[in-house]
Amino acid sequence: MLAWLAVAAPLRAQPAPPRYFDVLRAELDALGTGALCEVLDAQRVRCRYRHLAADGRRVFAVHLLYSDANDTLYLYVPDIAHAPADDPRTSAVLRRAMELNWRLLSAKLEWNERTGELRLSTLLHTDSNFDRRAFRNLLSMLLSQAERHADALADLAAPRLE
């Protein structure tokens, strides 16, 4: 009996998932993403999956961070290009990123000076509800923009050392 209690106690201690976790999971499943999701705590969920570009030449990692704490779903594609701060090509990459940001309506390119990562991201506000249609549109737009601009940005940037 004590052994069963020792096993059952940790299962009961896990937090309930955030309020829109089931909806997010259902949408990702309906889209056939095969996303892996993990509940980080009672307010946050992280999901990830791989997306094959329509032309079949590139695979993109897709990350989703949902938070009840700030009522947002942050979607991003990391490593669109690699632009180290000390590389002479980085100014051209950042200039092109800013030109694209001016034209992009709901996505933005972000640069991490420390790592050199250039990512494409968007945000869905969930303060009043989880809008399934808006979610699908934002995800579709994010992936189409990644496919459209990744190669050109990567061509301007430093080659990735792996």
Side-chain angles (χ1 to χ4, degrees):
M1 179 77 168
L2 288 177
W4 182 83
L5 286 174
V7 171
L11 295 177
R12 275 188 251 122
Q14 291 185 1
R19 65 186 158 148
Y20 294 128
F21 172 69
D22 292 335
V23 176
L24 173 61
R25 180 81 245 163
E27 285 302 302
L28 290 169
D29 288 346
L31 293 169
T33 64
L36 299 175
C37 294
E38 62 181 313
V39 176
L40 302 174
D41 56 40
Q43 294 189 314
R44 297 177 307 132
V45 170
R46 174 176 50 215
C47 300
R48 341 177 246 272
Y49 71 95
R50 300 239 177 252
H51 167 76
L52 178 64
D55 63 9
R57 293 184 313 120
R58 188 162 175 173
V59 175
F60 295 97
V62 180
H63 295 252
L64 302 93
L65 299 172
Y66 166 60
S67 172
D68 262 350
N70 58 16
D71 295 317
T72 58
L73 176 60
Y74 175 64
L75 303 88
Y76 70 96
V77 177
D79 297 319
I80 293 289
H82 185 68
D86 59 352
D87 190 292
R89 293 169 286 209
T90 294
S91 62
V93 175
L94 295 180
R95 179 183 174 100
R96 182 64 183 139
M98 292 304 99
E99 290 168 357
L100 290 171
N101 275 346
W102 185 257
R103 292 192 319 209
L104 295 171
L105 294 177
S106 56
K108 65 179 176 181
L109 286 155
E110 302 171 318
W111 177 61
N112 183 325
E113 179 182 15
R114 186 179 51 77
T115 65
E117 175 191 355
L118 189 66
R119 73 170 50 166
L120 184 66
S121 70
T122 192
L123 190 69
L124 176 67
H125 294 279
T126 60
D127 50 341
S128 60
N129 69 348
F130 187 100
D131 186 330
R132 293 171 187 253
R133 184 175 174 194
F135 168 71
R136 286 179 181 230
N137 285 337
L138 282 174
L139 184 59
S140 174
M141 174 278 311
L142 185 71
L143 295 173
S144 69
Q145 294 298 324
E147 291 180 25
R148 182 175 179 191
H149 300 296
D151 287 339
L153 286 166
D155 288 346
L156 289 172
R160 222 172 201 337
L161 303 173
E162 310 222 14

